[in-house]
Amino acid sequence: MKPSSSRFPDNAAAALANPRLRAALDTLPGGLVAQRRAAVAAVPEFEALREAARAIRDATLDDLASHLEAFETKAISMGSKVHWASDASEACRIVLDICRAARARLVVKGKSMVSEEIGLNAHLEAEGLEVVESDLGEYIIQKRGETPSHIIAPAIHLTEADVAADFRAYHTHLPADRRLDTPQSLVAEARNVLRQKFLAADVGITGANFLVAETGSSIIVTNEGNGDLAQTLPRVHIVVATIDKVVPTLTEAMTLLRVLARSATGQDMTAYTTLATGPRRPGDLDGPEQSHIVLIDNGRSEMLASDMRDALRCIRCGACMNHCPVYNAIGGHAYGWVYPGPIGAVLTPSLLGIVETSHLPNASTFCGSCETVCPVKIPLVSLMRTWRERAKQQRLETWPARALSKLWISTATRPALYHLLARVAVAIGGALGRRKGRFSSLPFARGWLAHRELPAPQGRTFQQLWRETERGVPR
Amino acid sequence: MQAARAGLFVTCLIDLIRPSAGFAAARLIEGAGCTVVVPDRQTCCGQPAYNSGDRSGALALALQTVRAFADCDYVVVPSGSCAAMLKIHYPRLFANADAATQKDVSAFAAKVHELCAFLADVRHIDAVPGRYQGRVTYHDACSGLRELGIKSAPRKLLALVPGVDLNEMSEPEACCGFGGLFAEKYPGISNAIVTRKLDDATAADAGLLLAGDLGCLMNIAGKMSRTGCSVACRHIAEVLAGELSDPPIGRGPAEHP
Ligand code: SF4
């Protein structure tokens, strides 16, 4: 997908002006946020689990190459074919080649963020394949021609009423007077439509929440069971996953799953947790004839060697965005690429470069909520701050902002001058603002004043009063 | 025994906009048995520079602040976010400095306390001069809450004020959308966030909203004035110290009976 992160302010303005989007986002605090809170409260050792999860991810990243090799060896021995892709176009080409070799025409997909990242659907469709998303949220946005606005709830920007209206428009072969007023009825309808696709599909593509080196398996978690069908029914199964997804052992994967589900949806365990280990074996009742795993780098090894390494711990639970006041206000599309919210503000500059994406790490209040909920304790605020430093070094801010901050530092590092200037400014501001106690308009601070008043200074600085009264309380 | 020397780090916003909150803080620190000193070599803690990516500017201000308070036993800060800057981020800024500087900075950081935490958890005060008749609500500003863990201290202190009836908002820990320069750079988003805070404060049915950070308070009070919301805003130190002679934040004398 073509990034629009450089137009973040316009994207955000459009989002803020969209009442339907705001209504959809208003469900977050009482939904995913409240569910996580309840789930975490029910596990007294949750903090210890977070620490364990962080340690597992860190230790794996410390020795990523050997864990990947171990995974590859085991996966091959279980009958999978392992492919390595250094970037998006190579990954797309590999997948296309597999589809062609299998003479495939119809591909069903489970939810996969990396396939969004590499633009897989568009690539396959351009080559004449039919690609059908089978996750309900992904199915809806694919039909709408949109991209996901959240990493675990791709259609969270839509209300149930939006989806019902869409289904009536798309599924014209169904009776017009059918009821579509509950989430269940929507899921049931999508299921029926998709069932035909599952049965007819030649290739199933899924992502992976984890790749287990010990067993050579990929693990996916879903709540709809669509991923299972996508990886068992078609003749060919392709896993697309970035190289940071590997976990050494099943036991460690289980620890990660415990924090993942609770952080993501507040479930103890997602409804389906499915391991895929190679193709169908003699005597198996189902399963694909071929199993392929495409391991994608696409910027990860560069991140691993950089000061953004901590961001690779991410297990894509979405908690950081659910708890982000900025995400809650504008939703995911405004961020302009695949990964929104705080993790997006760190990942997107890492993967696309800071020049076009410098708004993202800057558009944060640094409230720190994301860090307190992240199950693998990624220091998201510090990482965003590092990107702000990069942006500054590359002179990506506007010249007035740069001049002002220089002026501030050169004054504030000269205390005598600073206090003198402060007195003058405060005396003027105090005199002008005395009657109302605030300003409604000024020749500066336009952003601030667009939505709120600026409280006026009391007229003298604290330093001045303190010196005048020789410590103590005047009046 | 000589009273401990507590250096008041005034914060640039209190120095410029609301000295009365600074005097309230000074009175409270004195009441907690300390001698208050206000070094005149202090200006800004460097947080705006630090958070906008200007590390060298932040370093210069940090060094200036550390030196200004060298002879104090405590450094008390009437702002959670400036306190977190001094206590948590200064040592990080100097992580690559020489050993002597690092030692100075970590000794400095150990002396730093946010005002409420200092009064309640370091000095364990059991009385305050202030009194206030009415219902108030308290906004937990982000840095103090999440970086310094300040949650119970302000509430313990408010319980010492005769007449105060604390009614919590449903989300007292929700960010107000200030974020330093964020409010100016991304005004629309900030506005959406502060609007939620206003709704929550209004629902708490309190006449007065308190917080420990003037930045958040200016944001919330500024939005309240713009929308005609009747809830007043003050720094918590003002209520604790009984410094209520100035109008609430962003209000004129006519609105202050
Ligand atoms: S950064 Fe942390 S909270 Fe955000 S999606 Fe990744 S694991 Fe979850």
Side-chain angles (χ1 to χ4, degrees):
Chain A
M1 91 189 248
K2 204 171 151 34
S4 71
S5 307
S6 62
R7 295 193 300 278
F8 176 83
D10 296 336
N11 297 348
L16 289 166
N18 180 347
R20 286 166 50 149
L21 171 63
R22 303 297 299 279
L25 291 170
D26 279 346
T27 60
L28 263 174
L32 292 174
V33 169
Q35 286 158 232
R36 176 193 176 275
R37 191 183 300 141
V40 168
V43 181
E45 74 276 22
F46 193 75
E47 271 314 296
L49 270 181
R50 277 178 81 209
E51 183 48 36
R54 183 204 60 74
I56 290 171
R57 295 294 289 145
D58 264 340
T60 310
L61 292 172
D62 277 346
D63 206 2
L64 190 62
S66 63
H67 293 300
L68 280 168
E69 275 171 31
F71 173 77
E72 181 186 33
T73 309
K74 190 69 195 177
I76 291 172
S77 77
M78 300 309 290
S80 293
K81 196 154 177 355
V82 178
H83 311 256
W84 299 84
S86 61
D87 59 15
S89 63
E90 193 177 359
C92 287
R93 204 197 43 177
I94 291 170
V95 174
L96 179 65
D97 286 349
I98 298 169
C99 293
R100 282 205 175 129
R103 302 189 186 291
R105 294 166 57 180
L106 175 60
V107 175
V108 284
K109 280 186 67 209
K111 207 181 107 41
S112 149
M113 288 309 294
V114 70
S115 71
E116 300 284 346
E117 178 184 324
I118 64 176
L120 184 58
N121 289 12
H123 188 84
L124 297 180
E125 281 163 358
E127 298 294 330
L129 285 146
E130 186 192 354
V131 182
V132 179
E133 293 286 352
S134 66
D135 170 87
L136 176 57
E138 290 282 352
Y139 174 72
I140 294 162
I141 59 170
Q142 185 188 31
K143 286 273 184 199
R144 293 173 67 99
E146 294 179 339
T147 53
S149 68
H150 188 288
I151 61 174
I152 67 156
I156 199 160
H157 56 287
L158 301 173
T159 59
E160 271 165 37
D162 292 331
V163 178
D166 284 345
F167 277 14
R168 288 194 195 284
Y170 306 138
H171 304 155
T172 43
H173 60 289
L174 296 171
D177 60 350
R178 69 197 188 278
R179 294 193 61 174
L180 281 177
D181 50 2
T182 59
Q184 289 78 2
S185 56
L186 294 169
V187 174
E189 177 161 322
R191 215 171 240 171
N192 284 331
V193 173
L194 283 168
R195 184 128 310 167
Q196 310 310 317
K197 298 288 182 187
F198 281 124
L199 293 170
D202 309 294
V203 172
I205 299 179
T206 63
N209 291 89
F210 302 108
L211 301 169
V212 185
E214 181 184 35
T215 58
S217 321
S218 59
I219 302 185
I220 53 169
V221 295
T222 72
N223 279 314
E224 295 161 20
N226 62 305
D228 310 62
L229 297 179
Q231 66 186 16
T232 43
L233 292 182
R235 288 184 280 122
V236 178
H237 175 213
I238 306 174
V239 177
V240 287
T242 48
I243 53 173
D244 51 298
K245 295 286 176 186
V246 70
V247 188
T249 64
L250 261 185
T251 316
E252 287 162 305
M254 290 306 138
T255 302
L256 296 175
L257 287 173
R258 288 187 72 193
V259 290
L260 173 59
R262 289 179 171 88
S263 303
T265 52
Q267 290 166 288
D268 294 347
M269 207 68 182
T270 37
Y272 301 86
T273 300
T274 315
L275 285 83
T277 315
R280 172 199 299 231
R281 275 169 289 261
D284 280 357
L285 293 177
D286 57 13
E289 292 159 19
Q290 293 175 33
S291 154
H292 297 266
I293 300 162
V294 185
L295 294 170
I296 305 167
D297 185 325
N298 209 31
R300 268 58 175 192
S301 44
E302 221 171 291
M303 277 180 75
L304 189 66
S306 77
D307 49 10
M308 290 296 143
R309 175 189 184 278
D310 287 345
L312 288 177
R313 289 207 296 268
C314 178
I315 55 174
R316 304 283 191 271
C317 72
C320 56
M321 52 203 78
N322 299 339
H323 291 76
C324 174
V326 175
Y327 181 94
N328 270 261
I330 59 174
H333 285 149
Y335 291 79
W337 199 51
V338 181
Y339 304 102
I343 186 62
V346 172
L347 269 183
T348 309
S350 303
L351 301 177
L352 300 182
I354 186 66
V355 175
E356 297 289 314
T357 60
S358 65
H359 276 296
L360 306 186
N362 274 291
S364 163
T365 66
F366 277 7
C367 77
S369 299
C370 50
E371 287 186 7
T372 54
V373 296
C374 175
V376 287
K377 298 191 174 178
I378 298 174
L380 290 155
V381 171
S382 300
L383 296 178
M384 282 189 263
R385 191 183 289 111
T386 302
W387 278 123
R388 292 184 185 187
E389 282 167 15
R390 294 278 152 74
K392 188 119 188 158
Q393 284 154 8
Q394 300 199 23
R395 306 177 133 246
L396 296 177
E397 53 191 342
T398 60
W399 74 262
R402 187 159 63 235
L404 267 177
S405 66
K406 273 204 174 137
L407 188 67
W408 176 255
I409 296 292
S410 66
T411 315
T413 46
R414 293 177 176 79
L417 174 68
Y418 174 91
H419 292 310
L420 181 73
L421 292 177
R423 278 183 189 213
V424 175
V426 158
I428 298 171
L432 293 176
R434 181 174 308 137
R435 201 174 53 77
K436 281 175 67 191
R438 59 179 179 268
F439 300 102
S440 305
S441 67
L442 286 169
F444 52 88
R446 297 239 183 85
W448 179 284
L449 289 162
H451 301 284
R452 48 181 109 49
E453 315 274 283
L454 185 67
Q458 288 173 325
R460 282 180 293 175
T461 69
F462 179 86
Q463 287 279 0
Q464 177 183 8
L465 287 164
W466 184 263
R467 305 295 152 213
E468 280 171 7
T469 57
E470 254 327 300
R471 73 131 231 96
V473 185
R475 294 181 292 270
Chain B
M1 204 182 86
Q2 235 193 328
R5 269 171 80 82
L8 178 64
F9 184 83
V10 186
T11 78
C12 57
L13 285 181
I14 288 185
D15 183 47
L16 297 172
I17 307 291
R18 203 159 175 85
S20 60
F23 281 100
R27 173 184 284 196
L28 291 163
I29 301 166
E30 244 170 37
C34 301
T35 305
V36 180
V37 294
V38 182
D40 63 0
R41 304 277 308 159
Q42 61 171 309
T43 58
C44 156
C45 68
Q47 186 179 185
Y50 182 56
N51 281 348
S52 58
D54 177 6
R55 240 183 136 78
S56 61
L59 264 166
L61 287 168
L63 209 54
Q64 170 176 298
T65 308
V66 170
R67 293 199 177 127
F69 288 85
D71 63 346
C72 297
D73 301 315
Y74 298 114
V75 180
V76 185
V77 191
S79 153
S81 85
C82 305
M85 179 71 195
L86 269 54
K87 199 171 180 64
I88 296 184
H89 297 285
Y90 277 15
R92 288 185 190 167
L93 269 173
F94 288 96
N96 299 322
D98 58 275
T101 311
Q102 281 201 31
K103 204 167 146 245
D104 286 352
V105 173
S106 57
F108 168 85
K111 296 191 293 190
V112 172
H113 303 279
E114 185 273 342
L115 177 70
C116 292
F118 179 70
L119 298 171
D121 304 333
V122 178
R123 306 300 291 184
H124 302 289
I125 63 170
D126 53 11
V128 290
R131 54 183 56 249
Y132 179 85
Q133 209 57 50
R135 181 172 277 188
V136 305
T137 195
Y138 187 80
H139 164 66
D140 293 288
C142 297
S143 300
L145 174 73
R146 297 194 186 87
E147 296 192 281
L148 299 173
I150 295 166
K151 179 74 185 180
S152 62
R155 290 169 176 79
K156 277 189 229 166
L157 296 173
L158 284 173
L160 300 175
V161 183
V164 159
D165 166 19
L166 176 67
N167 196 34
E168 298 280 5
M169 290 177 275
S170 65
E171 300 282 351
E173 299 182 359
C175 175
C176 75
F178 172 59
L181 297 172
F182 174 84
E184 176 62 27
K185 283 191 196 160
Y186 301 99
I189 304 174
S190 173
N191 179 50
I193 302 173
V194 72
T195 300
R196 281 198 176 175
K197 184 55 72 177
L198 247 63
D199 294 345
D200 202 5
T202 310
D205 193 27
L208 185 60
L209 177 140
L210 301 172
D213 276 79
L214 195 55
C216 311
L217 284 164
M218 287 174 64
N219 177 39
I220 299 169
K223 184 67 194 175
M224 287 190 170
S225 312
R226 177 65 60 94
T227 56
C229 173
S230 67
V231 183
C233 298
R234 286 188 184 275
H235 194 285
I236 183 172
E238 299 173 34
V239 167
L240 298 176
E243 288 267 347
L244 302 173
S245 51
D246 283 282
I249 298 164
R251 299 277 175 91
E255 297 163 293
H256 184 49

